Amino acid sequence: MAVALATLTVAACGGGGGGSAATTAATSPGTVPAEVSSTVGTFASEPKIDLEPLASRPQAGARVIYLANSAVPTDVQNVKGVESAAQVLGWQTSSMAYDGTPAGFANAMGQATSEKPDAIAFAGQEPDVAPDAVKAAKEAGIKVVAFAIATAPTGLTGDGTSGVALGIEATKQQGRIAADWAIEDSGGNAHVAVVSTPAFPSQSAKANAYVDEMKAQCGGCSTTLVNVNPQDIGKKVPAAVVSTLQSDPKLNYIFFSFGNLSLGVYPALSAAGLTEKVKPTTAVATPETFQDLRDGRMAMVLNLSVEVDGYLILDAVARSLATDAAVVTNPSPFQLFTKDTVPANGTPLSPSDYVDQFRTIWRITP
């Protein structure tokens, strides 16, 4: 990824097809390109944390406040990962919940700033929803680090964040990998309702990357975007999905840009008699999503373990504390699971030895 000279970039390695933006023309209907099959094979295996090791071990004692969006269950779960990563680093961490609105985010940012930590971290929220609050934190000498957002960081200069973990390229990659799976699974005949939310631009970017991959790699496939509000998760989203499927009988797959969007959808599909017609899939899962996979209510999960999320977030914080330049990391610790490959119990970790891998990356010896 090309970046300005002032930007420190840690790029991800990736598999074929889904690992980089598609450039091939759409294939004939009913065919599956070799690069699509290669991508599916690559990400069906346990991944590596493809981040460059730090120049030196982070200094112990840093204090980080994590702002958790209470409207998004996976973000609340990120707190445990952040706490676990902090223990490995010898840091102190605390969390503040907010209601997911720009005003709530701004208030939480202001409260966190008043406590004068070394860094404030959060996920999903673009800094421009509360620019004054982000700017005030930076002016107080606090590093502001975001996870999975579309906006590039500005570093010491500018009004944006100091760093971004799981930047836009990694987010788009998730969309391409998930699309490749549907292309192969359908034999080049996937017609997909793509469910996402413009409230989170990174999720829109993932959904758009999914759509673009379908156009580039599958002449017999089609997509229909379904945009919803995060506040409607488990409420209005199921009805919106059912309505979309009923309006287009050709649709035979659903892709949720993150797993929480699927809450309550399967019962709605069952009530409408649609469970045998479509295959739901998602990127980013919860324990409930994996149980749906085991029970046949979900066909595929592209996993990004929430336990690993916390480590990715504090990794970007560590890199930000070491430099005034902007930090972007684009790792690809993603793994495809189906009913045939998901463990019988529990939530799979991708990768299972992530703590040891991060210890190596952070130059922390046991």
Side-chain angles (χ1 to χ4, degrees):
M1 181 176 66
V3 295
L5 292 178
T7 301
L8 171 66
T9 301
V10 184
C13 58
S20 59
T23 57
T24 56
T27 57
S28 301
T31 62
V32 179
E35 64 182 297
V36 167
S37 297
S38 176
T39 294
V40 173
T42 295
F43 287 96
S45 301
E46 188 168 307
K48 293 291 183 182
I49 305 295
D50 45 348
L51 291 169
E52 286 198 29
L54 300 180
S56 60
R57 176 174 177 162
Q59 185 173 348
R63 194 161 68 93
V64 182
I65 296 177
Y66 185 74
L67 309 182
N69 185 343
S70 61
V72 180
T74 48
D75 194 22
V76 177
Q77 292 169 8
N78 282 341
V79 172
K80 290 185 178 180
V82 170
E83 292 173 344
S84 175
Q87 288 183 341
V88 173
L89 287 161
W91 290 2
Q92 301 174 38
T93 186
S94 59
S95 63
M96 293 182 183
Y98 69 98
D99 62 4
T101 65
F105 175 70
N107 289 337
M109 180 67 70
Q111 184 179 347
T113 299
S114 70
E115 296 191 15
K116 300 181 179 179
D118 295 291
I120 300 171
F122 53 88
Q125 288 285 7
E126 302 297 325
D128 60 3
V129 305
D132 293 340
V134 172
K135 183 179 179 180
K138 292 180 64 179
E139 289 177 344
I142 300 168
K143 294 296 178 79
V144 178
V145 174
F147 176 74
I149 67 169
T151 306
T154 58
L156 183 64
T157 62
D159 296 335
T161 61
S162 297
V164 173
L166 201 74
I168 192 63
E169 292 307 315
T171 301
K172 289 179 179 178
Q173 187 187 27
Q174 292 178 70
R176 293 192 292 266
I177 296 167
D180 284 350
W181 182 88
I183 293 169
E184 179 169 80
D185 183 69
S186 68
N189 190 36
H191 304 282
V192 191
V194 180
V195 185
S196 188
T197 173
F200 301 138
S202 62
Q203 295 303 315
S204 289
K206 185 191 302 185
N208 290 335
Y210 188 106
V211 171
D212 290 344
E213 182 78 353
M214 282 285 182
K215 290 178 180 178
Q217 301 283 20
C218 187
C221 298
S222 65
T223 54
T224 299
L225 275 172
V226 184
N227 286 323
V228 298
N229 294 317
Q231 288 81 8
D232 293 335
I233 289 174
K235 301 171 185 175
K236 297 180 181 180
V237 173
V241 173
V242 168
S243 177
T244 300
L245 296 175
Q246 290 174 331
S247 67
D248 187 353
K250 185 172 61 175
L251 294 171
N252 56 359
Y253 286 79
I254 308 170
F255 173 66
F256 300 99
S257 67
F258 62 101
N260 292 152
L261 291 171
S262 70
L263 293 175
V265 171
Y266 190 86
L269 295 177
S270 180
L274 296 171
T275 56
E276 300 300 319
K277 179 180 181 293
V278 294
K279 290 186 175 184
T281 67
T282 188
V284 185
T286 65
E288 294 80 12
T289 313
F290 277 110
Q291 194 57 50
D292 284 344
L293 186 63
R294 295 185 187 96
D295 294 341
R297 295 187 291 268
M298 188 72 67
M300 182 278 290
V301 166
L302 177 61
N303 191 36
L304 173 61
S305 298
V306 292
E307 295 85 354
V308 176
D309 289 352
Y311 281 72
L312 292 172
I313 291 165
L314 289 202
D315 174 83
V317 170
R319 295 173 193 273
S320 294
L321 291 175
T323 179
D324 288 334
V327 171
V328 181
T329 62
N330 280 302
S332 53
F334 314 129
Q335 186 172 1
L336 289 162
F337 287 99
T338 64
K339 185 176 181 178
D340 293 333
T341 61
V342 68
N345 298 292
T347 302
L349 296 171
S350 304
S352 57
D353 63 343
Y354 69 96
V355 175
D356 289 338
Q357 290 195 41
F358 273 103
R359 283 183 175 274
T360 299
I361 291 167
W362 294 338
R363 300 189 182 277
I364 297 174
T365 55

